[in-house]
Amino acid sequence: MKNITFYSRFETDILAGCKTITLREASDAQFVAGDRIRVSRYEDDVFFCNIEVIAVTPVQFAELNQYHAVQENMMLDELKQVISEIYPGLNELFMIEFRLI
Ligand SMILES: CC(=O)Nc1cc[nH]c(=O)n1
């Protein structure tokens, strides 16, 4: 099974179903709809759930909007700040939509 990691600060929101997308750089978005993925924490690699990929869609940083913020359970300004810190200067992102399984 493929694997993806999330920062531990996102774990609660993912398990609660409040965070249903993740915005990633290309090298971290090599998934297709239907993939079932093992999810673990980035910091300690502890497994915490499995997800199924619904869709993978290119999105530019400059196009991030309220829809993305809601799916990330953040305010839009906060989302832009978080993504800027994770991927400084990167405009070409991929939105991975997922559901818990
Ligand atoms: C580990 C890691 O890169 N985690 C990320 C990155 C972007 N979005 C996200 O939800 N989690």
Side-chain angles (χ1 to χ4, degrees):
M1 190 183 265
K2 293 179 183 178
N3 186 76
I4 193 170
T5 62
F6 285 86
Y7 293 113
S8 57
R9 65 183 186 270
F10 297 137
E11 179 178 355
T12 302
D13 280 357
I14 292 168
L15 292 177
C18 299
K19 175 175 163 70
T20 58
I21 67 167
T22 181
L23 297 161
R24 300 295 175 117
E25 64 183 356
S27 65
D28 207 11
Q30 303 301 305
F31 304 107
V32 295
D35 278 353
R36 290 171 168 243
I37 307 174
R38 181 183 181 278
V39 179
S40 57
R41 297 195 301 241
Y42 174 78
E43 291 86 349
D44 56 11
D45 205 31
V46 169
F47 166 86
F48 65 91
C49 68
N50 290 308
I51 57 174
E52 180 176 342
V53 173
I54 297 168
V56 181
T57 311
V59 59
Q60 303 220 335
F61 179 87
E63 295 173 342
L64 292 179
N65 60 36
Q66 191 62 26
Y67 170 81
H68 303 109
V70 169
Q71 304 309 313
E72 289 267 14
N73 197 32
M74 290 184 214
M75 303 298 286
L76 182 54
D77 284 351
E78 179 188 7
L79 175 61
K80 288 180 175 177
Q81 180 67 32
V82 166
I83 296 300
S84 295
E85 288 171 4
I86 297 173
Y87 302 123
L90 184 65
N91 195 39
E92 308 297 328
L93 299 166
F94 290 84
M95 174 178 65
I96 302 170
E97 298 175 71
F98 62 84
R99 67 176 184 90
L100 287 166
I101 54 175

